[in-house]
Amino acid sequence: MQARALALIMALGLALPSAVGASTTIDAITLDGEPVRLTDYFDARKWTLVMVWTTYCAVCEREFPIVAALHDAHRNDDFKVLGLSVDGEAAVERVAATLAERRPGFNSLVAEPAEVAAGYRRLTGESFDGTPTYLLFDAEGELAAHMSGPLDTAAVEQFIVERRH
């Protein structure tokens, strides 16, 4: 990896995955209750930023317009955003209502908190800290970076540019 990309990761608080080649599978459901896997929503040759959120997270609520703008700016290129609510299957109606209100413009799935925590550990080798959390997958579907807390969208864009070359 280029030294500049590594410096950017450190400056942003992004972390590299410790489990190289780890399974990117996290089981979830659609808003219609259909079982899916996180990887079902990855597109070939597109970077995917997964925003892990909850309906009751105030920081997540503030992040939605920022992340939606990032998605809108790049969805026709080689980047997209996918939401992953950890409110659990029992709260799918509340998740749908929250999304109807926030209208992020990107798909969102719903997963059980324990499933996300286990998947996060498989992917990163770390404990899941809460929401918002971001998982950045490269165009091959491999975890490239992860972080918790508010997102610096310009830094994510720069990280992707650095990693492409």
Side-chain angles (χ1 to χ4, degrees):
M1 178 184 325
Q2 296 176 344
R4 185 171 175 195
L6 185 56
L8 182 61
I9 290 168
M10 300 307 279
L12 296 174
L14 290 172
L16 292 174
S18 62
V20 176
S23 169
T24 57
T25 301
I26 295 176
D27 292 329
I29 61 168
T30 66
L31 296 179
D32 295 328
E34 295 297 318
V36 294
R37 291 182 163 178
L38 189 66
T39 53
D40 294 342
Y41 284 78
F42 290 5
D43 293 336
R45 299 179 309 276
K46 275 197 179 200
W47 286 72
T48 302
L49 178 69
V50 177
M51 176 186 183
V52 183
W53 64 282
T54 61
T55 56
Y56 52 85
C57 169
V59 176
C60 299
E61 184 174 358
R62 289 191 303 270
E63 289 285 291
F64 259 93
I66 296 163
V67 175
L70 178 66
H71 173 75
D72 289 344
H74 297 285
R75 70 175 167 206
N76 294 324
D77 300 327
D78 64 349
F79 176 84
K80 72 175 197 172
V81 173
L82 174 64
L84 182 63
S85 166
V86 292
D87 287 283
E89 188 174 332
V92 80
E93 288 181 19
R94 184 174 66 232
V95 171
T98 300
L99 290 167
E101 179 183 308
R102 294 181 187 166
R103 296 193 246 184
F106 54 84
N107 286 326
S108 201
L109 304 172
V110 180
E112 294 298 326
E115 172 66 17
V116 173
Y120 189 82
R121 178 164 298 283
R122 283 192 310 271
L123 288 164
T124 68
E126 299 174 13
S127 296
F128 179 68
D129 289 337
T131 58
T133 291
Y134 296 93
L135 299 165
L136 181 61
F137 294 90
D138 67 18
E140 286 77 43
E142 294 294 322
L143 185 65
H146 59 95
M147 70 166 289
S148 297
L151 188 68
D152 180 340
T153 57
V156 169
E157 291 169 321
Q158 183 62 38
F159 177 78
I160 292 170
V161 167
E162 292 285 332
R163 292 291 298 262
R164 277 190 204 130
H165 302 327

